[in-house]
Amino acid sequence: MTGEINMTTDSNTTTSTSYHHGNLRQELMTLAEKHLITGGIGELSLRALAREIGVSQTAPYRHFKDKNALLAALATEGFRRFFIVCEASENEPRADLSLLMFGLAYVQFAKLHTEMFHLMFGPVLQPRNDYPELFAAGREAIYKVRAGVERGFKTDVIRQLDDVASMAHTVWAAVHGVATLMLDHGDTYGYHRDLDLQAEKSLRMMIAGLCTDPSDISKLPTAGTPAPTSAE
């Protein structure tokens, strides 16, 4: 009887150790995101997360060399979720509408996932070259804008005011500016306090300035377009 009890205890211990060894990286990221959303990352540390999860304080270092490496992985995951939200814009054949849909997705992602957005695009994780996966994710984001601009050139929907890279960065700057104003200065930016409406109007007017025929894209809405489905 005693032998059976010992076998069960050993099995449970092995299962627990295996669980933490096999899932600790994801546990750390999940818990770090919870702290990011509820209280920020100022006091976050790998050792504190380890205590909260219930593993040794050195265990997290098998997966992340330091706190910023964990945050970089979390920001990279944020980009992955953002790209899912952007899929509809990539599937839109009209370049001007594609850029508008990208902009709306960008702004709404920032609104719905503000803390993650600030981590993805903010100054905490600099220089980005120190985090190759995050750097690659950021480049993929601007390449999505470039693809829309290039498609607009080929179909004569977007005026070739400059080279593709320059115009893509200009579009991104405008979109990011709208998102930042919406988040940080919503009390003064919102058109009659309707931030979604003002954001879409701003994006439409910006893109209209790039179009060979702005008559359609420049039709300003009376209500903001519903937010796209966000990935978890």
Side-chain angles (χ1 to χ4, degrees):
M1 186 70 171
T2 303
E4 291 179 0
I5 293 175
N6 286 340
M7 286 176 66
T8 303
T9 302
D10 290 343
S11 175
N12 288 340
T13 301
T14 301
T15 300
S16 177
T17 303
S18 175
Y19 171 77
H20 284 302
H21 183 270
N23 296 277
L24 182 55
R25 186 180 192 278
Q26 185 57 51
E27 279 190 276
L28 289 165
M29 290 180 62
T30 299
L31 190 56
E33 182 174 5
K34 178 181 176 182
H35 283 283
L36 174 70
I37 294 170
T38 58
I41 56 176
E43 301 301 320
L44 193 67
S45 73
L46 292 181
R47 291 180 179 273
L49 292 175
R51 288 194 298 270
E52 196 168 345
I53 292 172
V55 297
S56 72
Q57 293 191 19
T58 59
Y61 293 94
R62 300 170 189 165
H63 302 278
F64 303 104
K65 69 176 183 179
D66 55 27
K67 167 184 167 180
N68 275 5
L70 168 59
L71 294 178
L74 190 57
T76 303
E77 168 63 16
F79 274 106
R80 185 194 68 79
R81 298 175 192 175
F82 170 63
F83 294 151
I84 293 173
V85 176
C86 290
E87 286 178 354
S89 68
E90 294 179 276
N91 295 328
E92 168 56 50
R94 260 185 58 181
D96 54 346
L97 291 181
S98 176
L99 291 174
L100 174 63
M101 291 169 68
F102 174 87
L104 291 174
Y106 192 101
V107 168
Q108 289 298 332
F109 184 90
K111 178 183 175 182
L112 296 174
H113 306 284
T114 302
E115 295 81 7
M116 179 68 83
F117 178 82
H118 283 316
L119 181 63
M120 290 161 59
F121 294 102
V124 173
L125 298 169
Q126 297 291 344
R128 289 299 173 99
N129 287 338
D130 289 348
Y131 312 100
E133 291 186 358
L134 179 58
F135 181 77
R139 287 181 68 87
E140 185 176 347
I142 188 61
Y143 286 154
K144 291 182 184 299
V145 183
R146 284 187 60 144
V149 173
E150 287 180 328
R151 189 159 66 252
F153 282 0
K154 292 176 181 177
T155 57
D156 198 32
V157 171
I158 301 296
R159 294 187 294 154
Q160 298 189 35
L161 302 175
D162 203 348
D163 61 73
V164 172
S166 175
M167 290 190 65
H169 279 87
T170 299
V171 171
W172 179 43
V175 171
H176 190 79
V178 169
T180 301
L181 285 171
M182 193 175 190
L183 295 180
D184 298 339
H185 302 283
D187 56 337
T188 55
Y189 173 67
Y191 178 71
H192 295 308
R193 304 302 172 115
D194 188 335
L195 294 177
D196 292 328
L197 176 60
Q198 183 58 55
E200 182 167 348
K201 286 186 173 184
S202 296
L203 293 171
R204 281 182 174 273
M205 286 187 276
M206 180 274 294
I207 296 169
L210 305 178
C211 291
T212 54
D213 179 7
S215 58
D216 189 21
I217 200 74
S218 63
K219 293 176 182 176
L220 300 183
T222 57
T225 299
T229 301
S230 181
E232 293 299 332

